Amino acid sequence: MKKTLLLLLSAMVIFSCGEKLPSGGDKPGTGTTNPENPDNPITPDNPVTPPVEGALSGKGTESDPYIITKAEHIKEVQDLIVAASTTYICLGADIDMSSVTDYVPFNCASPFDKKIHFDGKDYTISNFSCSDAKCANPSFFGVLNGSCRNLKMVDPVITAKDQRSGVIAASAGREGLPAAVENVVITNAVVNTACERSGLVCGDATEASFDNVSAQGSLTSTFTSKEAKAGGFVGQGSSSSFKDCSSDVVLAAKRQDIGGFAGKTLGTVTFTGCKVKVVATSSAPNKNRVGGLIGWNSSEKTVITDCHVLSGSSLVDESGRTASDNGCYGGLIGFGDTDGTVL
């Protein structure tokens, strides 16, 4: 009897110290259910690596975007993006980029086929700077092929010697590569350029839409070869739309085609509910073209609705021209060589 009882007790001890019986979704021999990926169970040969605090997270997909929480993550994401792909990116914190002195845009080389959808989640990127001494298309995105939404940028500085330039993009969209910019605020921007097509938001806009985007800062163009195409918002716009957007800019240029909002427009361009405050100074010799909203409207398909150049704006001629020179200044449009504009 004693021998039988001891055997029973031994069996109970062995069972209580043995492996746990499978329960829930676990099956014998298949490992423990992985809560992060139920189809990829945890086994000794497939352990789960715990997340590193502060590490980049996400997979760059629409359902699981890369989440950037510090400046270093931006370079990590750029290294992960491949050509002819679509990548989704979100901010997860305010980002101070003062330590980044060699920034290269996301999409700065032809054929500009990296489609990027960037959601700032209303966070702020501060102290961003970019120069074409380091890269082509100096700006945050280079050529924006995709979208940028819900972003604030404070104290950005863009320097360009021979490239289009702007804070968000050197070019927002290209033919066949549409872009959308929504709910973006740029504050205290500085753009210094020696090339055509420059703006606080973007140097060029083609097949692009802008909704509720505002830009405030200064733009200085020392370009002298031909038309400056410098604008408080966009240097040149074509086949694009601007709705409820604004610019507040101190603008100086040595050549013509400068505007408080757009330096030049062509193709089908619409402006709806846009506001401008501009102090523009031109020292262009001979022909000029300086406007509160548009410097040179070169399109019969431009439509302007409920747009205003605000009190405190001024257009200053420092060229010393005579009355016989072709100096064209306008509170709304400096020069329009077509008759199809709708106001």
Side-chain angles (χ1 to χ4, degrees), residues 85-120:
S85 65
T86 300
T87 305
Y88 293 82
I89 305 167
C90 292
L91 289 186
D94 293 333
I95 307 294
D96 183 351
M97 295 189 67
S98 56
S99 62
V100 181
T101 59
D102 56 352
Y103 183 81
V104 175
F106 285 86
N107 211 15
C108 62
S110 182
F112 310 112
D113 57 358
K114 298 175 181 177
K115 183 180 289 293
I116 295 169
H117 295 292
F118 189 99
D119 189 345

Side-chain angles (χ1 to χ4, degrees), residues 224-236:
T224 58
S225 297
K226 49 183 179 179
E227 297 90 353
K229 301 172 188 172
F233 193 100
V234 57
Q236 177 173 290

Side-chain angles (χ1 to χ4, degrees), residues 103 105-108 112 136-144 168-172:
Y103 183 81
F106 285 86
N107 211 15
C108 62
F112 310 112
N137 298 291
S139 58
F140 189 69
F141 288 101
V143 173
L144 178 58
I168 296 298
S171 297

Side-chain angles (χ1 to χ4, degrees), residues 232-244:
F233 193 100
V234 57
Q236 177 173 290
S238 64
S239 303
S240 295
S241 64
F242 304 86
K243 180 182 177 184
D244 297 330

Side-chain angles (χ1 to χ4, degrees), residues 199-241:
L200 294 186
V201 178
C202 56
D204 182 89
T206 301
E207 296 186 19
S209 64
F210 300 82
D211 190 351
N212 192 32
V213 178
S214 66
Q216 178 271 323
S218 65
L219 190 156
T220 302
S221 172
T222 58
F223 183 65
T224 58
S225 297
K226 49 183 179 179
E227 297 90 353
K229 301 172 188 172
F233 193 100
V234 57
Q236 177 173 290
S238 64
S239 303
S240 295
S241 64

